[in-house]
Amino acid sequence: MSQPRKTIGLLFGGRSAEHEVSKLSAANVLRALDPDRYDIIPIGIGRDGRWLLCDSGNGGGRGAQALEIPEGAPQVALLPGGAGETIVLNSHGSSRSLRLDAVVPVLHGPNGEDGTVQGFLELANVPYVGSGVMGSAAGMDKDIAKRLLRDSGLPIVPFLTLTSRNHADYDAAVNALGTTDLFVKPANMGSSVGVSRASSAEEFDRACERAFRYDGKVLVERSVTGAREIECSVLEDASGEVRASPLGEILPAETHGFYSYDAKYIDADGALLRIPAQLSPAQAGRFQELAVATFKALACEGLARVDFFLDPRNDDGLFINEVNTLPGFTAISMYPKLWEAGGLPQSALMDVLIGHAIARHERRNALALV
């Protein structure tokens, strides 16, 4: 007997510098969702924060490169405690309701990947894909994530945390980290937005100025010279089993120097993705073990991509770089590509993620409240 179709809210856009990346990811997720199993309701979050009902056929359909938020789209509101009940507010004052069985947040960066939307969905009492409030917040804040990983005994690159009130100069950073080659990045941002390399006082000042445009907290990290960039996708199913994918390697073009935003999304030749990564079985197993350990240490749920550095001069020089709790799902993104290499196509991957979301929601609602 076939299961009834589920109505899925597809959240995309958002109030972050990664708004455009989200639109690309959402179009790919829409194509991956089986139309025989799901009715998809695309909901675009505008740069002003409004949630807007989008028609997947009006220029943002299954064949489109990116989902779009049309002008004049009706505003929508999830009802607190409504178990997915959603009000659609038309411009002429009328309203109607629809019910979502689950939500797939395809949001990157602040105001979407950091626990804010997850908390809202918790209050709405609706299942949603991905980590909860704690895992999302911990994974998004690189400072907090690194502290938790360090305290769990997991290997990280040495770092400093700067704020507008605690702004070290280049010499102090060099002395603290033991190298003249540094990376400066916003603590709460993804897709390499605001990340710069600095090997002089002038470059350091410019890098800090750029990073502080995106966040009030900035990380300065020791550069791992010539590091290989290895990535692993982690997936949790409805039963709670957590597993790691085959590994991939990012090979940025020499013109970019590192895997920058432009190398990821602008320059078609900005990087080569090597799947599987050329590693020994022992190395690959170690990366996968660390990916699962990282996932659990940060209280992640559902999915995450764990990024590593491997020092080419030292096979033991393995470091966790960062964790993405809502990784990119564009046509060139590593998360779905790695699972495809592991025998799990994107359509089946989305089934697992939605199944996990619904099962977790049922478990949480079964907990005693008093």
Side-chain angles (χ1 to χ4, degrees), residues 98-118:
L98 56 88
R99 184 175 296 277
L100 304 177
D101 293 307
V103 173
V104 180
V106 190
L107 300 165
H108 309 310
N111 303 301
E113 193 176 355
D114 57 359
T116 51
V117 166
Q118 289 73 17

Side-chain angles (χ1 to χ4, degrees), residues 13 74 207 318:
L318 190 162

Side-chain angles (χ1 to χ4, degrees), residues 57-319:
N58 63 5
R62 293 183 180 275
Q65 183 181 14
L67 289 189
E68 299 296 338
I69 304 174
E71 292 289 335
Q75 192 165 350
V76 299
L78 267 174
L79 293 183
E85 187 174 356
T86 306
I87 303 299
V88 182
L89 306 170
N90 296 310
S91 57
H92 47 73
S94 65
S95 65
R96 59 187 175 91
S97 66
L98 56 88
R99 184 175 296 277
L100 304 177
D101 293 307
V103 173
V104 180
V106 190
L107 300 165
H108 309 310
N111 303 301
E113 193 176 355
D114 57 359
T116 51
V117 166
Q118 289 73 17
F120 180 70
L121 296 173
E122 292 278 355
L123 293 176
N125 193 29
V126 63
Y128 61 92
V129 164
S131 291
V133 175
M134 177 60 71
S136 298
M140 185 71 209
D141 190 315
K142 296 178 180 65
D143 173 44
I144 299 300
K146 286 180 178 290
R147 293 172 189 270
L148 290 171
L149 295 174
R150 182 181 60 196
D151 289 352
S152 298
L154 299 174
I156 61 167
V157 177
F159 71 101
L160 292 175
T161 303
L162 308 181
T163 67
S164 56
R165 297 180 180 181
N166 173 30
H167 194 328
D169 60 23
Y170 176 69
D171 290 338
V174 166
N175 290 334
L177 298 176
T179 179
T180 59
D181 193 8
L182 306 171
F183 274 97
V184 181
K185 60 181 68 175
N188 290 275
M189 192 59 66
S191 298
S192 298
V193 172
V195 178
S196 303
R197 194 169 188 167
S199 56
S200 70
E202 292 76 16
E203 289 179 347
F204 183 79
D205 289 342
R206 285 197 299 269
C208 288
E209 180 183 2
R210 183 183 182 204
F212 275 120
R213 293 177 198 165
Y214 297 99
D215 197 0
K217 185 164 61 170
V218 165
L219 262 64
V220 181
E221 295 178 346
R222 178 194 295 172
S223 172
V224 182
T225 304
R228 295 176 63 187
E229 299 187 44
I230 308 296
E231 299 190 351
C232 183
S233 297
V234 182
L235 178 65
E236 182 181 11
D237 64 21
S239 71
E241 180 186 359
V242 178
R243 53 195 168 118
S245 73
L247 302 170
E249 181 170 4
I250 304 292
L251 300 168
E254 292 184 5
T255 52
H256 290 279
F258 70 98
Y259 200 33
S260 64
Y261 182 92
D262 286 354
K264 290 178 180 178
Y265 303 112
I266 306 299
D267 183 356
D269 299 315
L272 172 67
L273 309 183
R274 179 182 287 160
I275 303 173
Q278 295 181 356
L279 298 164
S280 70
Q283 283 180 315
R286 176 62 175 152
F287 276 108
Q288 291 170 320
E289 289 173 2
L290 282 174
V292 171
T294 298
F295 186 91
K296 294 179 177 180
L298 297 183
C300 297
E301 298 172 273
L303 77 162
R305 195 192 71 238
V306 183
D307 302 343
F308 298 91
F309 291 141
L310 178 61
D311 189 339
R313 302 162 300 179
N314 178 7
D315 287 344
D316 293 327
L318 190 162
F319 304 96

